[in-house]
Amino acid sequence: MANNFKMVAKTMFGFEEILEKELQKLGAINIEKGVRNVSFEGDKGFMYKANLCLRTAIKILKPIHSFTVRSEQDLYDKIYKMDWTEYMTNSSTFAIDATVNSDMFNHSLFIALKTKDAIADKFRNTEGKRPDVDLKYPDVRINIHIQKNFCNVSLDSSGQSLHQRGYKTATNIAPINEVLAAGMLLMSGWDGQSDFLDPMCGSGTIPIEAAMIACNIPANINRREFSFEKWNDYDADLFEKIVESSMNKTREFHHKIYGFDKAPSAVRKANDNVKNANLTDYISIEQQDFFETEKLFDGKLHMVFNPPYGERLQIDMEAFYESIGDTLKQSYPNTDAWFITSNMEAIKNVGLRPSRRIRLFNGKLESKLLKYEIYEGSKKAKFNNYNND
């Protein structure tokens, strides 16, 4: 316990509870839910595990200092006073990310610049050489968060956002964020206990995340690197053990995951990404127009998808959403269908009443995740009557 420290997992709006549950399952302690974040405690190995395994986290931050701040000069002075040699050397590269919610400061880029100057000046004045800035692949990424007049300084243990899983080399016009896809799947109750369909799968993100959940594969197993691998205290043997023990917890999946898309280019991209994720045994991507398909088996089907929402793709939204409703009603009995949309008007054309509505954000677009429960319907009854005549 002596080696435990506080960490903050950042997430998207609406996923705080899901992330809290993920952290509980992983074994975090002193978990506290915030807005777009969940704080918790664990040791270095747990920090590695959180980065590797959490599906709904965007970043794992390690707070190292906090203070009240009264002015830009005050911020500079307090950052300058810190002992940065604990975290980096004068030959390290570094980058600053700043988020500001304060009447006193209104420009996050300026705060990032002031912080960068303080760190660079400290090294130049004490060691005669300053570290360089590298915005893309720094050795150390520092996060500054100012809320009113309170400043938190953290090390970013993740680096590139954790939605960048490492399996996606090909995307199409409006790809869904991997963290958003995983969060939607977990919210929908997907647990790998039935067949699964994404009828508008684009580059395959939702089927891939669904397979990883079903098989309990760590979310970021395909990533090339995390920021913590460049830290002074990085323990490669410990990280290897964490990866090994996480992979030992994978499980078999006895159903099938399907992805449909009517665009041949999307099908090609999705298949490439499925291959990159080593999931070809579990996922079948087919070129199909959902509106011309029907459910091919009797069992329960779990469906999650991200229909085009008219921001970047030009379609007749009313007719399109009407077709979604008609296809579900007529061709997909015994199905739980979930989809996300930011087009609140178009929903009215589905012609079905959603049993759940959850507020989320798809990028900056306020959206709703909707659940439609399609029961065994008249199609089967009609078929039976026909056979009895």
Side-chain angles (χ1 to χ4, degrees), residues 63-103:
I64 53 172
H65 196 41
S66 57
F67 46 82
T68 53
V69 60
R70 290 183 294 279
S71 66
E72 283 143 11
Q73 188 58 43
D74 191 31
L75 173 75
Y76 176 94
D77 293 342
K78 283 171 176 167
I79 295 286
Y80 187 94
K81 261 186 201 162
M82 290 175 63
D83 180 9
W84 288 99
T85 58
E86 221 180 300
Y87 313 108
M88 56 195 280
T89 68
N90 58 15
S91 57
S92 304
T93 57
F94 74 111
I96 314 290
D97 296 320
T99 47
V100 178
N101 186 5
S102 167
D103 295 337

Side-chain angles (χ1 to χ4, degrees), residues 130-378:
R130 51 155 286 175
D132 289 331
V133 169
D134 179 346
L135 297 178
K136 265 200 160 175
Y137 301 107
D139 297 326
V140 179
R141 194 175 276 278
I142 296 149
N143 184 279
I144 303 290
H145 184 261
I146 297 179
Q147 182 73 29
K148 294 184 180 167
N149 67 336
F150 194 76
C151 178
N152 260 316
V153 183
S154 304
L155 298 181
D156 177 350
S157 72
S158 307
Q160 299 281 314
S161 166
L162 292 175
H163 83 272
Q164 295 181 10
R165 307 279 205 227
Y167 58 72
K168 201 186 268 185
T169 51
T171 60
N172 45 315
I173 193 166
I176 191 167
N177 174 305
E178 291 82 339
V179 165
L180 178 59
M184 285 163 50
L185 286 158
L186 292 170
M187 275 187 161
S188 77
W190 168 245
D191 56 3
Q193 297 305 303
S194 68
D195 278 13
F196 180 93
L197 171 64
D198 175 350
M200 300 175 191
C201 74
S203 53
T205 309
I206 292 174
I208 291 169
E209 293 293 324
M212 292 180 96
I213 291 168
C215 301
N216 200 34
I217 295 166
N220 288 302
I221 196 67
N222 296 298
R223 251 174 93 107
R224 283 218 186 117
E225 66 167 27
F226 300 94
S227 255
F228 61 71
E229 292 177 72
K230 293 178 176 177
W231 289 4
N232 293 343
D233 67 348
Y234 175 55
D235 185 336
D237 292 341
L238 176 60
F239 184 44
E240 209 173 292
K241 276 182 200 152
I242 297 291
V243 171
E244 201 178 311
S245 86
S246 301
M247 287 305 288
N248 284 339
K249 294 188 178 88
T250 59
R251 57 181 176 239
E252 271 308 305
F253 170 59
H254 302 291
H255 299 277
K256 196 72 187 169
I257 291 172
Y258 298 93
F260 295 165
D261 204 286
K262 67 177 190 178
S265 60
V267 171
R268 276 196 304 276
K269 287 169 185 171
N271 274 318
D272 284 348
N273 294 332
V274 168
K275 197 175 167 189
N276 295 337
N278 300 306
L279 293 169
T280 46
D281 289 353
Y282 302 103
I283 300 172
S284 171
I285 305 288
E286 297 171 17
Q287 189 187 340
Q288 297 265 20
D289 180 343
F290 173 53
F291 303 145
E292 293 170 11
T293 66
E294 59 180 32
K295 189 164 169 257
L296 298 173
F297 52 87
D298 282 341
K300 186 80 171 173
L301 177 66
H302 197 98
M303 190 188 284
V304 179
F305 61 111
N306 173 35
Y309 43 95
E311 290 287 316
R312 299 182 225 179
L313 299 164
Q314 294 310 307
I315 49 177
D316 178 348
M317 297 308 279
E318 288 182 14
F320 185 79
Y321 277 79
E322 191 180 328
S323 296
I324 290 177
D326 289 348
T327 307
L328 288 173
K329 274 181 290 199
Q330 292 159 20
S331 305
Y332 282 86
N334 196 14
T335 295
D336 283 347
W338 295 75
F339 67 79
I340 188 169
T341 182
S342 60
N343 194 323
M344 304 309 159
E345 279 303 303
I347 300 167
K348 295 169 186 170
N349 297 287
V350 174
L352 291 163
R353 189 185 290 276
S355 58
R356 292 206 48 203
R357 292 169 173 256
I358 302 168
R359 183 171 169 243
L360 295 175
F361 281 84
N362 188 352
K364 290 197 166 81
L365 294 171
E366 185 170 340
S367 304
K368 287 277 192 297
L369 177 62
L370 304 162
K371 180 186 185 183
Y372 295 94
E373 295 176 58
I374 317 298
Y375 299 103
E376 289 290 353
S378 54

